Amino acid sequence: MSHWSDLVADKKRRQAESIPKEWLISPPPDTLLDVTAFPETCGLLTAHEIEITNTLVDVLLRKLASGEWTSVAVTTAFYKRAIIAHQLVNCLTEIFVDRALARAAELDAHLKTTGQVVGPLHGLPISLKDQLSIQGLETIMGYVSWIGKYAEKNAVLVDILIQCGAVPFVRTNVPQTLMWPETFNNIFGRTTNPYNRLLSSGGSSGGEGALVALKGSPLGVGSDIGGSVRIPANFCGLYGLRPSYGRVPYSGALNSLEGQDSVLSVFGPMTRSVSGLKAFMRAVVHAKPWLKDPLAVRKKWDEEEYRLADHGHGEKLCFAIMWDDGVVVPHPPVRRGLETVKAALLKAGHTVIEWQAWKHRELGDMTREIWNAASAEDYKVTTSATGEPIITSMALEPGPAVIAPFRPSKDGISAYQLWQVQKKRRMVRQEYTDLWEASVARTGTGRPIDAIICPAAPFTATPHGLNRYTNYTTVWNALDYPACVIPVSTVDPVLDAKKPAHAFIDDYDRKIYESYDPETFKNAPVCVQLVGRTLEEEAVIGMTELVAAALAQG
Amino acid sequence: MSHWSDLVADKKRRQAESIPKEWLISPPPDTLLDVTAFPETCGLLTAHEIEITNTLVDVLLRKLASGEWTSVAVTTAFYKRAIIAHQLVNCLTEIFVDRALARAAELDAHLKTTGQVVGPLHGLPISLKDQLSIQGLETIMGYVSWIGKYAEKNAVLVDILIQCGAVPFVRTNVPQTLMWPETFNNIFGRTTNPYNRLLSSGGSSGGEGALVALKGSPLGVGSDIGGSVRIPANFCGLYGLRPSYGRVPYSGALNSLEGQDSVLSVFGPMTRSVSGLKAFMRAVVHAKPWLKDPLAVRKKWDEEEYRLADHGHGEKLCFAIMWDDGVVVPHPPVRRGLETVKAALLKAGHTVIEWQAWKHRELGDMTREIWNAASAEDYKVTTSATGEPIITSMALEPGPAVIAPFRPSKDGISAYQLWQVQKKRRMVRQEYTDLWEASVARTGTGRPIDAIICPAAPFTATPHGLNRYTNYTTVWNALDYPACVIPVSTVDPVLDAKKPAHAFIDDYDRKIYESYDPETFKNAPVCVQLVGRTLEEEAVIGMTELVAAALAQG
């Protein structure tokens, strides 16, 4: 058997060969940190391709459905820009240009012949995280040991997207094991942040985050077990939705920690507009995924819920803002993001009250205890086929000083011990439900709070290896609340100057707070997170739209 | 601390004192096996009380809502009959007459004053399995160690039933641990089958099964993790629905194996008519349990699905009959039940095709492996408070020869081992989904099969201690398919004579087949099971109604 590094070399060679020569660019120097303007100035894209790739999902779908733009034109434009993005931030894994363009041509022919679209996503190129198997392609997922394993069939979600008329066109980079909030592995290396390449793109869907931010894809699919859609959305300035367990089909996708039935990974959309979130979720749910995936929830898309029928029909909502989680106080730009949203909501006529975090530290600890009940053995078994090294840090130069949030415990625990943690978690889920219901006394709307607005992390995109705290996203996975990241601003050294220290909660809080420096974090996107109730994806999208509209007015 | 047997003696004394003296009867001799006629002949019930207790749920609700019958009258009638039933088959645990009648009187006053019902179950007495905590009462659940633990609040389901206008009026017996398919514990002893007291009432909701069969309750709530609603429904000749995970709220109820997040227990209704199933499910789901229970699924009651919108609107359905599961071939009366249903469906114009069991043995084994990953430790910890004996058999005289289907393994397994079993189970769930979808090629309806009709056990109610095979129900828990028991007939020594043996699958199959004797099983109810797809409770009830109507015509 080959040495693991030979397998890597072979895969990298094959990846390089999959890039059309004519799409290779002269990359900018590493010292160019913000590369977001580069795709449009490098000379590879035509004016029309620039126009296409600057267009948001709802308009793209309209122009594709009317035949004004062909799928071949749209797919080509995004593919070229994706390949540019890859040369800037190293975001892709599988590249299959001919196959995608052939599919696009089929769709164009269908529309021309029948006058009908194939489905609600007709002609739209969609990028996929490197778990979503496509027949005939490898699904490597950051594991050397999975090089050369070609999928015999599509993941259910891929089938559904195809049935909806979409064009899966690239797959995107992830960290080994998926259980890191940054993106680095032994095969494809590291994905960096297009707003500042010294910063992380987040993870584990960091390839998607970087690609979509560079407009190399109009819509990407990430997965989220502890924040893996929302962390890269937060770091890269995107809308990113973490749906409830089972709302989007997972069957047939590869994953880590398989058989862990408690805190489940879910797929969700990452895109530059609320319209993209809605188009994806509506199309996928309309396709009745529960007929194909035993874990998909049989709940129809509810347009009334989207129109906020359960939330005053969008009039005079009451949002709760959680400024911090009682564990780590956010950096100044994150605070400013929340203040901006609060002001916009008040101006739009809504009410904003305070939300006190309830056992967030405990929820995060329990969740990691559940994953780590057997994660070390899971990783060991998976990597044993090739002897590839298990990565122990996301830092540029891994060292023992780095605190890794998802490090597995050395030994697993017993099933009984696991059940006791799961039982404790269920009790906190009940307490949170009760607290949410009890908020009716404080809202003045006759309803409990409509949503929680909170940070998606205590910081904006961090330098590589320093994304050490993920509870701001993980708690909502533990509670199974749908949550959406909303972009607000970017770090501005003037607006976001260092602030006098608060009374530190503990040394951990102090260390994270002191790591802030406006120059280090310069230009990083600033986002907030909106959190709704379980299986209320429709309303979460509706409320995200409302917040985005308020911000646009503000 | 008291010896465990002192605690038992005290509880039994208190239970005896909770029975109004004037409701004590002269019980029939033990040699009277079929006691179903006894309540109406023992002289305690008035003609009106007999009329009330013979009335099905839909008519009861109509008469209660119109004020034609008061809740006090209806609750009194069922309470008296429940106390009679208890003296015949030992089915009750908590008895609280004054409290229930006071609640009934409040409801009557409300209706009189306002002209309005409190909710869709206005005035209806409902019996509850001994897990569903009621504020101020003990929830003993077959554990001596839980004697004297008084609930500080109601289970969420109890709150919802009360909010719907129901009158919780008794709680019913269970086996210690709940993980047995018969009903016997160290406190309350054994519940027997009203059709033949030498036979088991089934379990773990065996108290409910016996009580509802004797018309001591119009509607009971059982729970089902491997068949615990359907086995007593099958043994006692009732309709019994096992809903999908999370369709009915579980929060606040006591349980075994807490923290086991994989194959979940669910609550479901047990009653003498399809109207009772529908009234319960519709009322509970309308109450939005997801606002109060974090595990309850946010899926509205869908009246269109109940009217079989996804199943040809009830015209020309295609049912698949599974005659046996490839492990144990059913006894002759069970076969006759299936044949009766098949003939009735064909006569009603539906199609019936065959269903081959897919990995049912493996599904059953996996499910027990998941429960037993830590069940031994769970039972040990629970019983250690008083040192009560852990029951090792449901037989009249426990002995080592008895094969117990739910016996925990001596030692638990690791979390990693548990994940591997859970992973295997998920794969079989996928395979079953694919098989169901693929059946579209065989139905002639353009749809996959609408439902599976199969046995609920390979036998009718067994002698005590001999209910040794539960896979006919457990596989559907493993697959999370809603399933409903439908009564068809009773064992008739002439119609159900011994049949020539089939080619036995193995010695286990032979032993179970040879245990059949028409005299032993005489008068036991004969039922079938109807199985639908996950979260399709509405359609399962609609199809159950359709089967019941076909049987009534047949």
Side-chain angles (χ1 to χ4, degrees):
Chain A
M1 178 180 254
S2 317
H3 190 262
W4 70 267
S5 54
D6 296 338
L7 294 168
V8 170
D10 178 61
K11 178 63 196 175
K12 291 190 85 157
R13 182 188 52 74
R14 289 188 285 124
Q15 190 199 42
E17 287 171 5
S18 69
I19 298 176
K21 297 283 168 292
E22 61 277 20
W23 293 356
L24 292 174
I25 54 165
S26 301
D30 287 349
T31 50
L32 183 73
L33 301 184
D34 177 356
V35 294
T36 52
F38 192 85
E40 297 187 17
T41 56
C42 69
L44 182 61
L45 301 176
T46 66
H48 187 45
E49 285 165 349
I50 290 172
E51 183 193 2
I52 287 172
T53 51
N54 278 322
T55 304
L56 299 177
V57 168
D58 53 342
V59 177
L60 282 170
L61 287 173
R62 211 153 51 229
K63 287 182 187 285
L64 284 161
S66 69
E68 183 181 339
W69 289 351
T70 65
S71 181
V72 166
V74 171
T75 303
T76 303
F78 278 105
Y79 226 133
K80 287 171 76 175
R81 195 157 177 155
I83 296 294
I84 298 169
H86 182 60
Q87 294 170 78
L88 298 170
V89 295
N90 191 40
C91 51
L92 302 182
T93 59
E94 299 301 316
I95 297 166
F96 41 101
V97 181
D98 294 347
R99 181 167 167 159
L101 290 178
R103 162 75 180 152
E106 271 173 33
L107 291 163
D108 289 338
H110 178 94
L111 180 62
K112 203 165 175 185
T113 315
T114 66
Q116 302 288 319
V117 296
V118 163
L121 302 176
H122 186 95
L124 188 73
I126 291 186
S127 49
L128 303 172
K129 188 175 184 176
D130 206 25
Q131 300 176 257
L132 278 158
S133 298
I134 298 177
Q135 192 180 12
L137 299 182
E138 292 157 285
T139 321
I140 294 176
M141 215 187 81
Y143 280 120
V144 178
S145 301
W146 291 359
I147 291 174
K149 294 197 175 170
Y150 293 85
E152 287 176 15
K153 55 182 186 176
N154 293 335
V156 166
L157 180 56
V158 172
D159 270 340
I160 283 179
L161 291 175
I162 289 171
Q163 175 191 326
C164 290
V167 182
F169 78 113
V170 284
R171 280 225 309 269
T172 57
N173 206 20
V174 299
Q176 187 198 46
T177 77
L178 302 183
M179 301 304 281
W180 290 96
E182 303 189 29
T183 297
F184 171 65
N185 61 59
N186 291 319
I187 307 106
F188 300 107
R190 182 184 307 277
T191 302
T192 56
N193 193 311
Y195 284 88
N196 179 339
R197 294 194 289 175
L198 292 177
L199 303 178
S200 169
S201 64
S204 64
S205 314
E208 282 302 331
L211 175 67
V212 177
L214 281 166
K215 305 180 186 173
S217 168
L219 179 74
V221 183
S223 70
D224 194 317
I225 192 172
S228 283
V229 158
R230 290 161 293 154
I231 292 165
N234 185 43
F235 280 18
C236 298
L238 303 174
Y239 292 89
L241 175 69
R242 179 248 168 231
S244 309
Y245 305 153
R247 199 75 205 271
V248 174
Y250 213 97
S251 271
L254 298 193
N255 200 3
S256 276
L257 314 187
E258 283 202 299
Q260 186 273 108
D261 277 358
S262 189
V263 179
L264 299 178
S265 177
V266 297
F267 286 115
M270 300 167 70
T271 181
R272 291 186 298 111
S273 67
V274 188
S275 71
L277 303 179
K278 189 188 172 191
F280 174 87
M281 289 300 296
R282 195 168 177 279
V284 171
V285 175
H286 263 307
K288 301 187 178 175
W290 51 85
L291 298 180
K292 296 183 176 159
D293 178 346
L295 269 70
V297 178
R298 188 186 189 94
K299 177 181 188 285
K300 294 174 186 159
W301 177 263
D302 191 327
E303 198 70 16
E304 278 303 300
E305 290 191 22
Y306 164 70
R307 288 197 213 98
L308 302 179
D310 297 332
H311 299 275
H313 299 276
E315 299 290 324
K316 295 192 184 304
L317 275 69
C318 179
F319 294 91
I321 285 203
M322 186 186 83
W323 299 101
D324 69 69
D325 70 353
V327 184
V328 173
V329 174
H331 286 181
V334 178
R335 173 88 193 190
R336 179 169 64 84
L338 292 173
E339 282 165 355
T340 306
V341 170
K342 177 177 176 178
L345 288 172
L346 289 175
K347 194 172 162 199
H350 304 294
T351 308
V352 177
I353 64 174
E354 308 264 312
W355 187 258
Q356 294 297 326
W358 177 255
K359 298 192 181 174
H360 282 215
R361 187 192 300 267
E362 293 84 342
L363 274 169
D365 290 347
M366 285 173 205
T367 306
R368 280 181 292 277
E369 235 181 301
I370 290 169
W371 295 332
N372 291 337
S375 59
E377 190 153 2
D378 182 273
Y379 305 155
K380 206 177 69 187
V381 169
T382 304
T383 55
S384 64
T386 59
E388 61 184 305
I390 296 181
I391 292 172
T392 57
S393 158
M394 290 284 121
L396 288 173
E397 288 181 15
V402 177
I403 302 156
F406 292 107
R407 292 288 293 285
S409 59
K410 287 259 186 294
D411 299 305
I413 58 179
S414 74
Y416 184 77
Q417 290 170 314
L418 175 61
W419 287 4
Q420 303 321 300
V421 186
Q422 292 178 167
K423 182 177 169 182
K424 275 194 295 180
R425 170 195 170 223
R426 196 180 288 191
M427 287 168 61
V428 181
R429 287 178 77 177
Q430 183 66 52
E431 290 165 6
Y432 230 101
T433 304
D434 295 344
L435 280 172
W436 195 301
E437 282 292 287
S439 71
V440 67
R442 299 192 290 129
T443 57
T445 62
R447 304 185 300 276
I449 53 163
D450 294 294
I452 294 173
I453 308 274
C454 64
F459 28 59
T460 56
T462 63
H464 302 296
L466 293 185
N467 185 13
R468 295 176 184 178
Y469 186 73
T470 59
N471 265 11
Y472 277 98
T473 50
T474 302
V475 291
W476 311 122
N477 299 78
L479 295 166
D480 194 23
Y481 290 173
C484 193
V485 167
I486 305 173
V488 179
S489 181
T490 50
V491 173
D492 177 323
V494 176
L495 287 174
D496 299 316
K498 276 196 152 181
K499 295 269 176 357
H502 60 278
F504 293 122
I505 296 163
D506 58 16
D507 198 51
Y508 189 74
D509 176 40
R510 182 185 60 73
K511 268 166 83 172
I512 289 188
Y513 202 80
E514 289 177 352
S515 71
Y516 180 65
D517 172 72
E519 276 307 315
T520 308
F521 289 87
K522 191 174 164 179
N523 207 39
V526 174
C527 301
V528 299
Q529 186 177 202
L530 183 146
V531 181
R533 302 184 74 170
T534 310
L535 286 173
E536 202 187 26
E537 283 68 32
E538 291 90 332
V540 163
I541 293 172
M543 289 189 279
T544 297
E545 201 170 293
L546 183 153
V547 171
L551 283 169
Q553 290 293 319
Chain B
M1 178 182 254
S2 317
H3 189 263
W4 71 269
S5 54
D6 295 339
L7 293 169
V8 170
D10 179 59
K11 178 64 195 174
K12 291 191 85 156
R13 181 188 53 75
R14 289 188 286 123
Q15 190 200 41
E17 287 171 3
S18 69
I19 298 176
K21 297 282 166 294
E22 61 277 20
W23 293 356
L24 293 174
I25 54 164
S26 300
D30 287 349
T31 49
L32 183 73
L33 301 185
D34 177 356
V35 294
T36 52
F38 191 85
E40 298 187 17
T41 55
C42 69
L44 181 62
L45 301 176
T46 66
H48 186 46
E49 285 164 348
I50 290 172
E51 184 193 1
I52 288 172
T53 52
N54 278 323
T55 305
L56 298 178
V57 167
D58 54 342
V59 178
L60 281 171
L61 287 173
R62 212 153 52 230
K63 287 183 187 283
L64 283 161
S66 69
E68 185 183 337
W69 288 350
T70 65
S71 181
V72 166
V74 171
T75 304
T76 302
F78 279 105
Y79 226 132
K80 287 171 75 175
R81 194 157 178 158
I83 295 294
I84 298 168
H86 182 59
Q87 294 171 78
L88 297 171
V89 294
N90 190 39
C91 51
L92 302 182
T93 58
E94 300 301 315
I95 297 165
F96 41 100
V97 182
D98 293 347
R99 183 167 166 158
L101 290 178
R103 162 76 180 151
E106 270 172 35
L107 291 164
D108 289 337
H110 178 95
L111 180 61
K112 202 164 176 186
T113 315
T114 66
Q116 301 288 320
V117 296
V118 162
L121 302 176
H122 187 95
L124 188 74
I126 292 186
S127 49
L128 304 172
K129 188 175 184 176
D130 207 25
Q131 300 176 259
L132 278 158
S133 298
I134 298 177
Q135 192 179 12
L137 299 182
E138 291 156 288
T139 321
I140 294 176
M141 216 187 82
Y143 280 122
V144 178
S145 300
W146 292 358
I147 291 175
K149 293 196 176 171
Y150 293 85
E152 286 175 16
K153 54 182 186 176
N154 292 336
V156 166
L157 180 55
V158 172
D159 269 342
I160 283 179
L161 291 175
I162 289 173
Q163 177 191 325
C164 290
V167 183
F169 79 112
V170 283
R171 281 225 310 270
T172 56
N173 204 22
V174 299
Q176 186 197 45
T177 78
L178 301 183
M179 299 305 283
W180 288 97
E182 302 189 29
T183 296
F184 170 64
N185 63 58
N186 291 320
I187 308 105
F188 301 107
R190 181 184 307 277
T191 303
T192 57
N193 192 312
Y195 284 88
N196 180 340
R197 294 194 290 175
L198 292 176
L199 303 178
S200 170
S201 63
S204 64
S205 315
E208 281 303 330
L211 174 68
V212 177
L214 281 166
K215 306 179 186 173
S217 168
L219 179 74
V221 183
S223 71
D224 193 317
I225 192 172
S228 283
V229 158
R230 290 161 293 155
I231 292 165
N234 185 43
F235 281 18
C236 299
L238 303 173
Y239 292 90
L241 175 69
R242 180 251 168 226
S244 309
Y245 305 152
R247 199 75 205 272
V248 174
Y250 214 97
S251 271
L254 298 194
N255 200 2
S256 276
L257 314 186
E258 283 201 300
Q260 187 272 109
D261 277 358
S262 190
V263 180
L264 299 178
S265 177
V266 296
F267 286 115
M270 300 168 70
T271 180
R272 291 185 297 110
S273 68
V274 189
S275 70
L277 302 179
K278 189 187 171 192
F280 174 86
M281 290 300 296
R282 195 168 177 279
V284 170
V285 175
H286 263 309
K288 302 187 177 176
W290 51 84
L291 298 179
K292 295 184 176 156
D293 178 346
L295 270 70
V297 177
R298 188 186 190 95
K299 177 180 188 286
K300 293 173 187 161
W301 176 264
D302 191 328
E303 198 70 16
E304 279 304 299
E305 290 191 23
Y306 163 69
R307 289 196 212 98
L308 301 179
D310 297 332
H311 299 276
H313 299 276
E315 299 290 325
K316 295 192 185 305
L317 276 68
C318 179
F319 295 90
I321 286 202
M322 186 186 83
W323 299 101
D324 68 69
D325 69 353
V327 184
V328 173
V329 174
H331 286 182
V334 178
R335 174 86 192 191
R336 180 170 62 85
L338 293 172
E339 283 165 354
T340 306
V341 169
K342 178 177 177 177
L345 288 171
L346 290 175
K347 194 172 164 198
H350 304 293
T351 307
V352 176
I353 64 176
E354 308 264 313
W355 188 258
Q356 294 298 326
W358 177 257
K359 298 192 181 176
H360 281 216
R361 188 192 298 267
E362 293 84 342
L363 273 170
D365 289 348
M366 285 173 205
T367 306
R368 279 181 293 276
E369 236 182 301
I370 290 169
W371 296 331
N372 291 337
S375 58
E377 189 153 0
D378 181 272
Y379 306 154
K380 206 178 69 185
V381 169
T382 304
T383 55
S384 64
T386 59
E388 61 183 305
I390 295 181
I391 292 173
T392 57
S393 159
M394 291 282 121
L396 288 173
E397 289 182 14
V402 177
I403 302 156
F406 292 107
R407 291 288 294 284
S409 59
K410 286 260 188 294
D411 299 305
I413 59 178
S414 74
Y416 184 78
Q417 290 170 314
L418 175 60
W419 287 5
Q420 303 321 299
V421 186
Q422 291 178 168
K423 182 177 169 182
K424 275 193 295 180
R425 170 197 170 220
R426 197 180 288 191
M427 288 167 61
V428 181
R429 288 179 75 177
Q430 183 66 52
E431 291 164 6
Y432 229 101
T433 303
D434 296 344
L435 281 171
W436 196 300
E437 282 292 288
S439 70
V440 68
R442 298 191 290 129
T443 58
T445 61
R447 303 185 302 275
I449 54 162
D450 294 296
I452 295 173
I453 308 273
C454 64
F459 27 60
T460 57
T462 63
H464 302 295
L466 293 184
N467 185 13
R468 295 176 184 177
Y469 186 72
T470 60
N471 265 12
Y472 278 98
T473 49
T474 302
V475 292
W476 312 121
N477 299 78
L479 296 166
D480 194 24
Y481 290 173
C484 194
V485 166
I486 305 174
V488 179
S489 183
T490 50
V491 173
D492 177 323
V494 177
L495 286 175
D496 299 316
K498 275 195 153 183
K499 296 263 176 0
H502 59 279
F504 293 121
I505 297 163
D506 57 16
D507 198 51
Y508 189 73
D509 175 40
R510 182 186 59 75
K511 268 166 86 173
I512 289 188
Y513 202 79
E514 288 179 351
S515 72
Y516 180 66
D517 174 72
E519 275 307 315
T520 308
F521 290 86
K522 189 176 165 179
N523 205 40
V526 173
C527 302
V528 300
Q529 187 177 200
L530 183 146
V531 181
R533 302 185 75 170
T534 310
L535 286 173
E536 202 187 26
E537 282 69 32
E538 291 90 332
V540 163
I541 293 172
M543 289 189 279
T544 298
E545 201 169 293
L546 184 153
V547 172
L551 284 169
Q553 291 292 317

